[in-house]
Amino acid sequence: MNKLAEKIWLGLLVLVLGLPFVARAEPVPLDRLGRVNGIAIDPSNPERLLLATRQGLFVGASDGFATPISNLNAGLTALASDPQNPQKLFASGASETAGNLGVMASEDGGLTWRKISDGDGGPVAFQAMAVSPANPNLLYGVNKDLQVSLDGGVSWRRVAVAPKRLFAVAASSKDENTLFAATMKGLRVSRDGGRKWQAGFLIQRPATMVHTTPTGRQLAFVYGTGLIETQEPDLAWKTVAGDFQDRVIIGLAIAPDDPQRLYGFADTGAIMTSGDAGKTWRGFEGSQQVSAERLGKGKQLYVDNCQACHGVGGIGERPGEPNAKDEFGFVAPAMNDDAHAWHHPDRQLVETILNGSERNKRMIAWKETFSRADAENIVIYIKSLWSFRSLACQGARHMACMR
């Protein structure tokens, strides 16, 4: 049960201990961005996301690419936004040349940053940060200790040793003394500002994410249970969605103009989105194109043109025979959740439909028959056949998921 959480924790620990950071100046495909350590809505465009990574701060779009922004030439280990002022952000991390960043702040949605504090005993590289929805001047930061700031991040003091193997922290929207933590040993709650902790959820399995909104809505992710939700001050959690297989959600952001729209990042680094408050999820790449109309068109195009080879519902030409070959050395692979299709990003699937495959000559080019929109619609249908796990492992991430 704990093997995946152990991998997540070890990956986080390695990052905090200071692996070298690689500066990037050009757009990066989302599936090659690597580990994400924080997420926030871009205040200049609610359909874009701010992503804190080892390569710096990026703005990610549903076209499948992330572009570096800001004057932060460092790797980021934590990112937090002010729930009452989305233009105001806080970050922490480290630079290969300058060491730990301490606490950085941005007043313009992440475009520019300035250092506001070293933290207590710093400079620190917090692995988790949170701004209180009840009081924007109340901030929490976690490395081996739990630290608190009462003046918007300018000065910090150590409160206590942080719960061991902590993934995320969230402050209550109702009570300034109440704090929640997602840890390896489960979801925890403190009623005295982090000095003492107790179980915050009946099932004590690894909790990888906790998030509180200004309205008191609270979401958390518990390994083996899934996404859970409650309304403060109650801790009467209910399961929102549970079909995540061996993948987990580590961070979360909620669209300010639509509380049903959730954005999260999985342990693979994949950005995911939900339009129904977390009940169902799809990959962020291509998500702005998805509609019932385009899904229907894509399904019909698949049935009329692709099904003869790739099978009903994308089961493949010879389902159940993973090593099957024809006289050319290939059979049409599965497009459903089984394998193969989700090894490729959207852009590659679209290009293969339009231009064929150099490796498998049986996959002809359809560009004389299909428009690019047609090919995109087929991909929308194909991806509707995938599980959360496959979506989270799509593209360059698939090799790590198969280990």
Side-chain angles (χ1 to χ4, degrees):
M1 178 184 69
N2 293 344
K3 286 184 178 180
L4 177 64
E6 287 280 6
K7 288 181 180 179
I8 298 167
W9 173 255
L10 288 173
L12 179 61
L13 182 62
V14 166
L15 176 59
V16 172
L17 288 176
L19 284 178
F21 301 103
V22 180
R24 300 233 183 217
E26 69 283 347
V28 180
L30 283 174
D31 64 313
R32 296 186 178 276
L33 193 58
R35 179 178 293 277
V36 176
N37 298 308
I39 186 170
I41 307 295
D42 182 355
S44 67
N45 184 342
E47 294 182 353
R48 302 190 309 183
L49 303 173
L50 300 179
L51 306 172
T53 78
R54 282 180 56 196
Q55 289 79 41
L57 185 65
F58 287 74
V59 57
S62 65
D63 65 0
F65 287 88
T67 304
I69 62 170
S70 85
N71 61 330
L72 276 176
N73 186 22
L76 300 183
T77 52
L79 177 69
S81 60
D82 182 342
Q84 298 183 24
N85 178 9
Q87 293 283 344
K88 193 167 187 178
L89 300 164
F90 299 91
S92 191
S95 163
E96 188 175 25
T97 55
N100 291 349
L101 294 180
V103 179
M104 309 292 292
S106 173
E107 303 282 349
D108 55 10
L111 295 177
T112 60
W113 294 80
R114 62 185 177 89
K115 183 175 181 177
I116 59 172
S117 178
D118 276 337
D120 189 356
V124 297
F126 287 136
Q127 68 191 51
M129 296 183 72
V131 183
S132 168
N135 176 3
N137 289 316
L138 175 59
L139 277 68
Y140 290 96
V142 179
N143 44 20
K144 65 179 181 179
D145 297 324
L146 173 67
Q147 296 191 20
V148 63
S149 172
L150 302 177
D151 55 9
V154 176
S155 61
W156 293 79
R157 62 181 174 85
R158 177 185 177 277
V159 175
V161 175
K164 291 182 179 180
R165 297 188 171 188
L166 182 147
F167 294 107
V169 64
S172 167
S173 66
K174 304 296 184 183
D175 178 9
E176 292 187 18
N177 292 315
T178 298
L179 187 64
F180 301 91
T183 79
M184 183 73 172
K185 290 190 174 181
L187 190 63
R188 313 291 287 174
V189 59
S190 172
R191 304 295 185 186
D192 60 2
R195 293 168 181 83
K196 296 180 182 179
W197 296 85
Q198 62 190 56
F201 181 57
L202 181 63
I203 301 173
Q204 289 298 284
R205 291 177 179 150
T208 57
M209 181 275 294
V210 62
H211 181 92
T212 304
T213 71
T215 62
R217 180 185 178 196
Q218 196 167 21
L219 292 139
F221 194 97
V222 176
Y223 183 61
T225 298
L227 185 68
I228 59 176
E229 180 182 45
T230 192
Q231 186 72 29
E232 286 196 278
D234 295 330
L235 291 181
W237 297 91
K238 64 179 181 180
T239 300
V240 178
D243 189 17
F244 294 89
Q245 297 172 290
D246 61 346
R247 305 265 64 97
V248 300
I249 295 174
I250 297 182
L252 195 72
I254 301 177
D257 57 343
D258 180 5
Q260 298 288 306
R261 174 65 62 189
L262 275 55
Y263 299 96
F265 60 92
D267 56 293
T268 61
I271 311 303
M272 309 293 289
T273 182
S274 171
D276 54 12
K279 297 181 181 67
T280 60
W281 292 82
R282 62 170 59 105
F284 179 54
E285 181 180 357
S287 60
Q288 296 299 326
Q289 298 178 338
V290 177
S291 67
E293 179 183 6
R294 297 196 68 172
L295 175 62
K297 289 180 177 179
K299 181 177 181 179
Q300 193 60 55
L301 285 166
Y302 177 89
V303 170
D304 293 344
N305 301 278
C306 312
Q307 183 170 287
C309 289
H310 292 283
V312 176
I315 61 173
E317 188 170 10
R318 297 185 191 174
E321 300 180 45
N323 298 316
K325 295 182 179 180
D326 59 14
E327 62 271 28
F328 302 102
F330 296 96
V331 295
M335 295 288 105
N336 63 7
D337 201 44
D338 288 344
H340 185 78
W342 50 269
H343 294 183
H344 308 286
D346 287 14
R347 60 188 179 277
Q348 189 174 352
L349 293 172
V350 169
E351 291 303 319
T352 300
I353 292 171
L354 293 175
N355 299 310
S357 170
E358 292 185 3
R359 180 168 175 263
N360 183 355
K361 300 302 183 182
R362 287 185 60 196
M363 179 59 198
I364 63 172
W366 289 84
K367 59 186 175 184
E368 300 300 326
T369 304
F370 297 154
S371 66
R372 180 165 291 272
D374 290 335
E376 292 170 347
N377 290 343
I378 293 172
V379 171
I380 288 172
Y381 168 66
I382 289 171
K383 290 181 68 174
S384 75
L385 306 173
W386 300 352
S387 65
F388 182 97
R389 183 186 191 279
S390 296
L391 291 165
C393 292
Q394 186 183 1
R397 304 182 190 92
H398 78 274
M399 290 302 295
C401 292
M402 297 172 70
R403 291 171 187 167

